[in-house]
Amino acid sequence: MTNGPLPSNTDIGDVDDNDDNSSSSEMKHLAINTLQHIQQLQPPHFIVHIFSNNGCFLWEWIRYMLFHKSSYNLQNKLLGIIFDSAPAYFHGKVEGLQSALEYVGDKEQRDKLIKLARSLDTNRVKRRHNEFWNGLCNDTYGSENIPQLYLYSDCDELANVKYLEELIAYRRQQMSGKERVWSRKFVGSSHCGHLKKYPTEYEESVGNFLEFCTAADGFRRSRL
């Protein structure tokens, strides 16, 4: 998380586009490409569906561009966001980052990343995580009332259920209309493995959420 995108005091223009090793720059350009692609498709509406913390890092940039920079004129088309196994709370130990890297498929790349994780500045990692977590708890970019669905597990070693449920409860307090924050807890599924273990239940949860998001505004308000 050290080089994750968009610390709270950072502007998009502050990121060095020439830094090939900057994950922040990579996420910035991925967000730009994603929004440009959506704009080219000209859909009436769209939903963001992200996985794990990398997905959250991308969401940070998309949210920033849409609601802080007011770029792409897509704000009113975004109807909801789905968090799968995200966000993951960091406990302050670099070993936690190393365990996350075990999901990297390529062994050579995984070994390099684990070596890099061991060399990270722990204080910097903690500081970045606090910015990341607080940014998701306290949405200040104007997207705070967009419906959200959290899909998570009771035994996810990366996305700890205790912290996730605390965040969900807090978001329900912050948002106007508690029904805008949906959640589904699965039993025994691995990180980002809920669809594989519970395909029917997963599809049902997402389907019900999409129906809510795409319903007429008047109908949605009547349920809140």
Side-chain angles (χ1 to χ4, degrees):
M1 295 178 191
T2 306
N3 292 320
L6 208 60
S8 58
N9 60 349
T10 301
D11 188 273
I12 279 181
D14 295 333
V15 176
D16 184 0
D17 292 340
N18 296 319
D19 183 1
D20 293 334
N21 295 319
S22 170
S23 61
S24 184
S25 179
E26 291 175 2
M27 284 294 180
K28 169 188 174 181
H29 289 293
L30 179 57
I32 290 173
N33 291 338
T34 300
L35 291 173
Q36 287 179 343
H37 182 64
I38 294 172
Q39 193 172 49
Q40 290 171 0
L41 292 174
Q42 297 184 340
H45 306 292
F46 69 99
I47 302 282
V48 174
H49 191 159
I50 61 174
F51 295 82
S52 195
N53 273 4
N54 261 353
C56 286
F57 292 153
L58 177 61
W59 166 240
E60 282 183 304
W61 275 105
I62 290 176
R63 180 184 64 182
Y64 182 82
M65 291 178 184
L66 289 181
F67 298 98
H68 183 73
K69 287 294 188 180
S70 299
S71 305
Y72 302 99
N73 297 317
L74 294 172
Q75 299 92 326
N76 294 330
K77 293 186 176 184
L78 176 59
L79 296 186
I81 176 167
I82 301 172
F83 295 88
D84 185 314
S85 305
Y89 187 86
F90 177 60
H91 298 273
K93 296 181 179 180
V94 174
E95 290 78 6
L97 295 178
Q98 293 179 211
S99 65
L101 295 175
E102 295 298 331
Y103 288 84
V104 177
D106 183 82
K107 185 179 185 304
E108 183 177 354
Q109 183 182 17
R110 180 171 66 248
D111 291 342
K112 288 181 179 179
L113 290 173
I114 290 176
K115 183 178 180 180
L116 175 63
R118 291 170 179 164
S119 67
L120 292 175
D121 182 330
T122 303
N123 290 329
R124 188 181 176 193
V125 172
K126 289 180 180 178
R127 185 168 61 250
R128 172 62 185 114
H129 169 72
N130 289 336
E131 293 170 342
F132 165 75
W133 194 261
N134 290 336
L136 290 172
C137 288
N138 303 291
D139 192 334
T140 59
Y141 285 120
S143 59
E144 64 270 13
N145 287 322
I146 293 176
Q148 303 171 1
L149 168 61
Y150 294 86
L151 303 166
Y152 61 100
S153 168
D154 64 341
C155 63
D156 190 332
E157 295 182 359
L158 297 180
N160 183 279
V161 62
K162 174 181 180 293
Y163 295 102
L164 252 178
E165 290 185 338
E166 288 178 355
L167 181 143
I168 292 168
Y170 185 78
R171 293 298 294 145
R172 284 177 173 149
Q173 292 177 355
Q174 295 294 308
M175 295 179 71
S176 60
K178 293 182 179 180
E179 286 192 24
R180 292 184 185 273
V181 181
W182 292 44
S183 64
R184 178 66 180 266
K185 178 166 66 175
F186 298 95
V187 177
S189 51
S190 61
H191 188 68
C192 297
H194 321 312
L195 175 60
K196 181 178 180 180
K197 189 175 180 66
Y198 297 102
T200 302
E201 294 85 347
Y202 190 100
E203 292 177 9
E204 178 185 28
S205 297
V206 172
N208 290 338
F209 179 70
L210 293 180
E211 286 184 10
F212 173 79
C213 292
T214 55
D217 287 342
F219 174 73
R220 284 215 306 266
R221 283 196 294 269
S222 70
R223 296 185 58 188
L224 301 179

